[in-house]
Amino acid sequence: MRAMHRAAGLAILVLCVTSSTAAAQQLPALMPDPAHRVPATRGADAQAFTIRSTILDQTRRISVVLPSSYATSPPTRRYPVFVVLDGESNLPASAAVADELSRNGMIPEAILVAIENTDPARGRVHDLTPPGLSVSGSGLDAGGDRFLDFIERELLPAVDRQFRGGTPRTLIGHSSGAILATYAAATRSTYRAVIAIDAPIRLVDNWLAKKLTARAAAPLAPLRYVSYESRFGWPTDDWQALVAAAPTSWQLRREVLQGEGHETLFMLGAYLGLREVFRDYSRLVAQEKPASEILDYYSGVSTALGGALPPPKRLLREVVDDLIAEGRGVGARAAYRLFVESYGAPPDDVEVQAEILAAESRPAPSETVASLLATPFPTPDEASRFVGDWVGYHWMVPDAPRNEPETLRIRVENGKVVGELINPAAPPEFRVRKLDYLRVTSVGLTYGFRNGMRPRGVVLWEGTLTGETLAGKQRWGGVAPPKRPDSRIDPGFSPHEFASEHHARPRTASVASGRPYG
């Protein structure tokens, strides 16, 4: 009998183990996929070089990272150059942030040139310390000036010859590298932008601060200097003295980054520094402008930065499409020519050329985005009939439910007429949309704002006043997207699919609001 029980127990045990094994075999597992390669880091691969320096009497190791459009751009295109000190440790982070920022149109595409140290101790201190300053026990005759001469007279000319390097130049340094970068800002005009990350400015009675402030009083050229700090950095009084002495051609920024250490600061500092010194280049600033003004805007940015900088690739392509949609064929062709000269012809070159040709064949537009945005608002007397709140609805189809009331608010502020379209049910960032266009017409009121998406036209409501009701239809202003079904350009909504109607006496109402749209 006991033997039978033992046998039964054994059978149950085997059954349980077998069932568990089967269940494990049925669970999904990660399977290798060697044919599919996914990059785990930003930035292109670096190319390794050596250069024999007569100035230093040394052979130095140099790494070069080329921008993403380098292989497709024509040989006449030149690129800004970012010089990275302590290249053996700082290049990977620099390449990653430069790629991320340029890919998103925040900074121009650039060539990265990283300089390795001959050794991490005495050789590094010798090269990165200016004469007249003692760092880590060095004498007062270190080789910082000769090292800067090597960069300016031997390395950068080689980059210009071999890789289409150009201006502006940016110098990026961390710790001792930030000491040399600040010294270069104080004594040289080679670099339009200098990014100093955790620079020990306080050394030898704030010697570097005094140098840069003295240059500010007698500037050699425009300068953009930023300091991102954690352990070291600028004394507040010295920074305030620098800001007070700086000419209007200088742009300065200092920030202490909490939660960072001296060793951890570089990547974040490089990201913030590049974004800051090129903040006027960013597509996020420029895209708020009408398409017809963007090329001129970047011409001004190029002048300010001292180098020919085309608009960001993504933004420039959008400008081409927007000008086509506006019927500005000549402007679209000029923008597209700049695109090809800067980034190379895109895969849909034939289709783009056809769209431009069609736009050129249409009559010149009588209404453009720029002309609408330049239209002055009515005076308080002209708009007096409409001052107040108009509450009602707009809909896409006639039988759509009217369950989200909107308010058109017209008011006088500091003697000027302003307006908002308020939708309390919208997400906070879209609840209040500031009007960019407002005109009293012979039959009522037309108002609108710039579209925050594509196409980048003006969304207009054309209202007719009947008694106390303002009713009408919504349409695109300043753009006429192609009607061809095979067009590349998104036509947005059809001018006849939307209508806007406001039913209410002008009155004062308390309506939920949020940030102005834009």
Side-chain angles (χ1 to χ4, degrees):
M1 192 69 174
R2 290 179 181 174
M4 292 179 61
H5 283 305
R6 285 197 299 270
L10 181 60
I12 293 172
L13 177 62
V14 171
L15 178 62
C16 292
V17 171
T18 304
S19 299
S20 299
T21 303
Q25 291 174 345
Q26 292 173 0
L27 292 175
L30 294 170
M31 304 300 293
D33 186 5
H36 182 54
R37 182 180 178 275
V38 180
T41 59
R42 292 284 184 202
D45 292 335
Q47 301 179 41
F49 299 90
T50 61
I51 183 171
R52 180 64 191 176
S53 169
T54 301
I55 293 172
L56 299 177
D57 192 24
Q58 292 175 331
T59 298
R60 302 302 296 256
R61 292 188 179 277
I62 307 297
S63 298
V64 176
V65 178
L66 299 176
S68 60
S69 68
Y70 189 87
T72 59
S73 62
T76 53
R77 167 80 190 271
R78 289 195 169 271
Y79 292 88
V81 177
F82 300 164
V83 178
V84 181
L85 303 177
D86 291 317
E88 67 273 23
S89 57
N90 291 337
L91 177 61
S94 300
V97 300
D99 178 74
E100 182 71 11
L101 287 166
S102 63
R103 188 174 54 87
N104 284 288
M106 306 289 282
I107 67 172
E109 292 188 2
I111 298 170
L112 270 67
V113 178
I115 310 170
E116 294 188 12
N117 296 305
T118 55
D119 69 75
R122 295 180 60 183
R124 176 176 182 268
V125 171
H126 177 79
D127 286 341
L128 302 183
T129 302
L133 185 66
S134 176
V135 176
S136 300
S138 70
L140 298 179
D141 58 347
D145 260 330
R146 287 192 299 278
F147 192 64
L148 290 174
D149 287 343
F150 153 67
I151 296 173
E152 296 171 18
R153 292 160 48 186
E154 295 179 327
L155 178 58
L156 288 176
V159 172
D160 292 351
R161 289 193 311 270
Q162 295 176 242
F163 298 104
R164 294 187 272 141
T167 54
R169 321 281 203 190
T170 299
L171 184 59
I172 306 172
H174 169 243
S175 192
S176 287
I179 290 176
L180 189 68
T182 301
Y183 178 74
T187 59
R188 313 261 173 151
S189 57
T190 302
Y191 306 99
R192 186 59 59 98
V194 171
I195 299 170
I197 302 171
D198 226 19
I201 298 294
R202 297 176 186 270
L203 290 174
V204 191
D205 192 27
N206 303 331
W207 184 82
L208 281 170
K210 294 173 182 176
K211 279 278 188 183
L212 190 54
T213 303
R215 180 191 166 181
L220 302 174
L223 174 68
R224 301 182 179 197
Y225 176 86
V226 296
S227 176
Y228 290 94
E229 306 165 7
S230 174
R231 179 182 176 185
F232 300 114
W234 280 74
T236 299
D237 290 346
D238 290 87
W239 181 261
Q240 291 174 347
L242 174 65
V243 171
T248 57
S249 62
W250 281 28
Q251 295 181 16
L252 304 171
R253 181 176 177 82
R254 174 193 178 221
E255 185 175 350
V256 178
L257 299 176
Q258 303 297 329
E260 294 291 338
H262 183 67
E263 295 80 9
T264 68
L265 187 62
F266 180 79
M267 189 169 194
L268 180 57
Y271 181 95
L272 295 174
L274 286 171
R275 190 183 69 177
E276 176 64 22
V277 298
F278 291 106
R279 68 180 183 273
D280 48 350
Y281 179 87
S282 170
R283 70 174 177 85
L284 300 183
V285 175
Q287 70 184 8
E288 298 301 319
K289 302 179 180 299
S292 59
E293 298 177 5
I294 287 180
L295 296 191
D296 287 342
Y297 172 78
Y298 277 97
S299 177
V301 171
S302 296
T303 299
L305 284 164
L309 300 176
K313 183 177 182 179
R314 171 178 166 182
L315 178 62
L316 186 52
R317 180 57 185 269
E318 290 176 354
V319 168
V320 174
D321 290 348
D322 289 343
L323 291 174
I324 291 173
E326 289 188 36
R328 293 172 174 257
V330 174
R333 187 168 295 282
Y336 189 63
R337 184 183 306 114
L338 179 60
F339 183 95
V340 174
E341 291 172 352
S342 303
Y343 301 103
D348 58 348
D349 175 66
V350 174
E351 292 85 349
V352 179
Q353 298 270 20
E355 295 279 11
I356 293 174
L357 188 61
E360 288 176 324
S361 67
R362 299 201 298 266
S366 59
E367 176 189 86
T368 65
V369 173
S371 68
L372 289 171
L373 297 178
T375 301
F377 275 39
T379 65
D381 286 343
E382 293 169 337
S384 60
R385 177 66 183 83
F386 300 97
V387 172
D389 286 1
W390 297 76
V391 181
Y393 307 90
H394 77 267
W395 55 86
M396 296 177 63
V397 293
D399 58 351
R402 315 290 202 268
N403 53 12
E404 291 189 4
E406 290 190 340
T407 297
L408 169 65
R409 177 172 293 167
I410 309 297
R411 55 193 172 86
V412 177
E413 184 179 281
N414 298 324
K416 296 183 178 180
V417 176
V418 296
E420 297 103 13
L421 191 62
I422 303 167
N423 182 352
E429 64 270 27
F430 297 114
R431 285 179 189 163
V432 179
R433 299 186 178 189
K434 180 182 177 182
L435 298 185
D436 298 313
Y437 180 86
L438 183 65
R439 185 170 68 90
V440 176
T441 67
S442 60
V443 297
L445 188 71
T446 299
Y447 58 94
F449 50 80
R450 282 199 67 189
N451 185 36
M453 299 178 290
R454 311 296 308 287
R456 200 174 288 123
V458 179
V459 182
L460 292 177
W461 283 263
E462 295 181 321
T464 298
L465 183 63
T466 305
E468 298 298 335
T469 298
L470 187 65
K473 290 186 176 181
Q474 188 183 49
R475 70 170 180 88
W476 283 115
V479 295
K483 296 184 173 67
R484 288 171 29 205
D486 61 340
S487 173
R488 302 170 303 100
I489 300 175
D490 181 4
F493 62 79
S494 167
H496 303 292
E497 290 180 354
F498 277 74
S500 178
E501 196 173 64
H502 294 267
H503 297 283
R505 287 180 180 275
R507 61 182 176 85
T508 301
S510 177
V511 180
S513 63
R515 295 183 307 182
Y517 173 73

